[in-house]
Amino acid sequence: LHSAILPMLAVLAARALGIPMPDASQDESLGKQLWMSTPETTQPPAGIPANYALQPARRAQPPSGAHVAAPKDRDTTDEFAHIARFDKATDLHARAPGYQNQTATIKGIVSALDPNQQSALDGGNPLAFKSKTHPYTPNTRLFDQSKFKLPLPTNRWWLNLMIEQGADPIHPYPYVVKCMQNASSVGFPRFNIDQAHVTSDQPADWTVGDGNQALTQRKVTGADALGVEVTWTGSSGAQMCSRFYKGMAFQTFEMQNMAPRLTTIHAVLKVEQLTRAVLSAQEDAAQVQRDVSDMPLMTKVTLNDGSQWLVTSKPGITWQQQGSSTLQPQNINGSYTGFVQLAHLGDQPANNINVLQRYAGTYPTAGAVTYAQVQGSDGTGRSSNVVFMYQTNTAASSDSTHVYNTSSVSTTMQLLSFVLPHHADHINGTSILSNGLSGYRCAKGPLTAVAGNLISYNQPLQQRPGFAGPGALADGDKSQLQQQLLRDAATSTNVTAEDPYFFGKGAAKVARLYQIAQEVGDATTAAALGKKLVALLTPWLVAQSNSDPLVYDSTWGGVVSTLGISDPSLDFGQGRYNDHHFHYGYFLYAGAVLAKYDVNAFAPLREPLSQLLRDYANPSASDAQFPFMRHFDPYDGHSWAAGLFTFADGRNQESTGEALNAYYAAYLYAQALGLQETAEFYEIILNMEAASGRRYWHPTRAQAAQLYGKPFVHNAVGILWSSKADYVTFFGANPEYVYGIQMLPFTPASGMLIKQDWVREAWCPDNSTCADGMKPAAQSASKNGWAQFLYTAYALVDRNAALDNAAACTPDDGNTLTNTLHWIYTNQQLAIDSN
């Protein structure tokens, strides 16, 4: 074991023994400790100190895929070749004749930014931070080192496969998968719902392996924008490979020189071999019929838990039951080379099997994402198309006559997959199956079946957030704001925090005052605040003379804190890549404001700030020092926060407000530097993060019932994981924590996430109907910083009541009354427009 793991093991062992763990914010030393969720349910630490209201500390957080957008006007066959830079086999597939036929469909897509070029943020300068090797070294037994080079992935949705012993599951919706050394399990989660949690049982319904036990080693052998490839090898040339992508209806295993064996944790009740595809009366046989020789052999298996599965294979395997829980080939003498697929038949097996049979045999071999150029202009409905492109095994088979999905053609060799609720809200309706699949879901809610190798949905873009507030200041408001600005400039700019998170919040707080001083035309106060901001940032970014210097981790590829790299429980796990977008987003906001108003003062800070931005939101996939978009997951439409920590529940994100702030800061920074293409790319990411935040963390109660199910009917989710949702936070279960962490910090971009209708319903003044509403939460918070956040949001409903109550609260350590007043004053027009 690496020595850096030992402190974490101590924490986990204490929890297993029932020993109460200290809260993360009780004092300066504990303020940097990492508190981690258990796999079963997320419970808060034992005690929440009275002074916590002013210290919303960071906590253990977990990520995403390695997404690559298509470059401008470039043949998308080359796109797959680049995405498959870890996978030479996929490179060959991308150039197969069958795939060429999809070019016409894709040709019109022009991406906002070419990620295969050097980023404009990368000036080719030396690293701004001293290099240091990480004591937590990659487990090279788990991945192919020839395919994965520096920088290594640290926050991807499938990262459980590459860290620790690789034993925890991954969650390619709607399934859960574990990859052991000699086999893989596939399960169909059952969700359990109570008032505070939506959890899943994560079963290993099936285990796919070799009957001769020839497989002895598994490694991650490739990754792309949307998924990951795992390969098992062993004796006598035995090999098995699977590419896991979210949303696939089938889980597919390619096999070479194997004796396939399927075992289940249940008892097998019935095995039925199907001789032909079953067509429903509503289907057009001319469109869905398929040559029998082209179809895989299909078997329906009924288990004693009440579930039914479709097992397909090509060349066809006649499965024979052995004992109560094992299936082995009856018609295979010696080794087998081909593929086996498994699909759960959902809650309507008779209908679902009709759909699944028609698409059996097609599976993805590569995936790509394009964030298309923004269309429209302000006031006329601006949007961007987000496009998922999959290459499939049928496309790579040199079948030049293969027909791909278009708006007018349907074919049974298309890819069958699922999309999430936020995709279905804006997807091209022709892709959705009219006679779809029922009974498939994930932690984010019901899944919708779609057909096609290309899935495009339209991402609406909200009004561009600027440096200034969204509305003009009235004269009376401006006067009040100027007076409070003078008070806060004199008393609220002393930032003493020594860790990156709290220091970043403090620096961003001063930057907000600096920005507001510019808006109200107070040149004297602005000049003083600008100098203060430079004085705060210089020791961290230029002199590196602070007590916890940032360093470049040459082992994984990123910027981490000195304490964090030495101990995973310090600095909220940021040494293991937890929360980098939360932490560094504050730094980048401060740098963006300085860049806008004082270019000369900003100049020495530009390179280190640009490297921090490349650390968490690098727009270039060709960067040799930082990975592409470390946290952001294009399929889920939001970031995952946790880094090099493994969780049985998969990845998670808690603070949508801070995730929004990270990409808002990136957008402003690119704008201030005049990097228009980069800014447009960040604007798309910002809107995606905001849209997913509203959909999954900020639901109406009706939406919560639809997504999560009763009795989990809240207006906020505290932590959303790959496989569960919690109405708690990592630092407590109080409703004000759950609501507040989904909104802070309040900036001109916050209105992208916080909407009037949501606040009105969440306020819930009738305690008898919803005691977890914002109003009772704000009242119980006793006028602390959490209460101020809630009252600030309430300004969208009742400005006067919000002003009176917010002004009476003590601000959070990353906030000021000046900023609170500014947000209320400049968002007044939004409330009027909504009314």
Side-chain angles (χ1 to χ4, degrees), residues 286-288 359 403-406 408-412 414 433 451:
Q287 284 194 320
V288 299
Y359 297 91
V403 180
Y404 285 85
N405 180 42
T406 68
S408 60
V409 178
S410 177
T411 162
T412 54
Q414 294 173 356
L433 295 182

Side-chain angles (χ1 to χ4, degrees), residues 14 77 112 127 235 330 378 386 404 425 450 564 621 635 647 699 708 740 745 766:
T77 54
L127 287 166
S235 59
Q330 183 181 19
D378 280 333
V386 180
Y404 285 85
D425 291 343
V450 297
Y635 182 86
F647 296 89
Y708 305 116
D766 184 354

Side-chain angles (χ1 to χ4, degrees), residues 141-160:
R141 293 186 300 104
L142 297 177
F143 63 93
D144 187 335
Q145 296 181 73
S146 70
K147 306 289 181 66
F148 288 89
K149 306 292 186 181
L150 191 75
L152 294 172
T154 60
N155 298 71
R156 299 306 179 199
W157 68 266
W158 43 263
L159 198 71
N160 278 355

Side-chain angles (χ1 to χ4, degrees), residues 150 266 325 335 363 412 508 557 638 802 819:
L150 191 75
H266 312 289
S325 59
S335 64
Y363 55 90
T412 54
H638 64 76
N819 186 56

Side-chain angles (χ1 to χ4, degrees), residues 146-388:
S146 70
K147 306 289 181 66
F148 288 89
K149 306 292 186 181
L150 191 75
L152 294 172
T154 60
N155 298 71
R156 299 306 179 199
W157 68 266
W158 43 263
L159 198 71
N160 278 355
L161 295 171
M162 280 182 58
I163 56 176
E164 300 298 332
Q165 301 307 308
D168 275 330
I170 59 172
H171 301 84
Y173 319 138
Y175 300 101
V176 57
V177 169
K178 279 189 176 183
C179 297
M180 292 79 76
Q181 286 302 305
N182 61 351
S184 177
S185 70
V186 176
F188 190 75
R190 286 78 170 170
F191 285 85
N192 306 298
I193 306 166
D194 62 35
Q195 290 185 338
H197 309 283
V198 178
T199 59
S200 59
D201 57 358
Q202 307 201 49
D205 290 311
W206 289 99
T207 298
V208 182
D210 182 82
N212 296 329
Q213 299 183 341
L215 299 178
T216 57
Q217 184 181 50
R218 73 92 171 150
K219 289 187 176 184
V220 178
T221 51
D224 60 32
L226 294 167
V228 61
E229 179 185 84
V230 180
T231 301
W232 291 259
T233 55
S235 59
S236 304
Q239 180 173 302
M240 184 170 75
C241 177
S242 187
R243 300 172 187 90
F244 299 108
Y245 291 90
K246 292 179 182 177
M248 292 302 118
F250 294 90
Q251 291 300 305
T252 305
F253 298 87
E254 296 174 332
M255 300 177 177
Q256 294 182 23
N257 303 316
M258 280 180 53
R261 181 173 64 181
L262 306 179
T263 58
T264 176
I265 59 174
H266 312 289
V268 176
L269 299 183
K270 192 174 184 180
V271 180
E272 304 173 70
Q273 182 172 312
L274 307 176
T275 57
R276 57 186 293 274
V278 180
L279 304 179
S280 67
Q282 292 77 26
E283 295 293 343
D284 180 355
Q287 284 194 320
V288 299
Q289 106 180 34
R290 187 167 167 185
D291 188 275
V292 173
S293 65
D294 181 61
M295 296 177 66
L297 191 63
M298 306 184 202
T299 304
K300 184 172 72 172
V301 182
T302 303
L303 304 178
N304 71 339
D305 67 340
S307 67
Q308 293 184 329
W309 291 75
L310 181 63
V311 181
T312 81
S313 55
K314 187 178 179 182
I317 297 175
T318 301
W319 295 100
Q320 181 179 39
Q321 182 175 346
Q322 290 193 352
S324 63
S325 59
T326 300
L327 299 181
Q328 288 189 309
Q330 183 181 19
N331 61 329
I332 303 297
N333 294 319
S335 64
Y336 174 82
T337 295
F339 67 78
V340 174
Q341 294 181 302
L342 294 93
H344 193 279
L345 294 184
D347 62 2
Q348 295 184 18
N351 176 70
N352 290 341
I353 197 170
N354 293 343
V355 178
L356 287 162
Q357 285 185 98
R358 294 200 308 275
Y359 297 91
T362 300
Y363 55 90
T365 57
V369 180
T370 290
Y371 308 93
Q373 239 176 19
V374 173
Q375 303 296 315
S377 57
D378 280 333
T380 60
R382 297 168 61 250
S383 66
S384 171
N385 286 324
V386 180
V387 185
F388 305 144

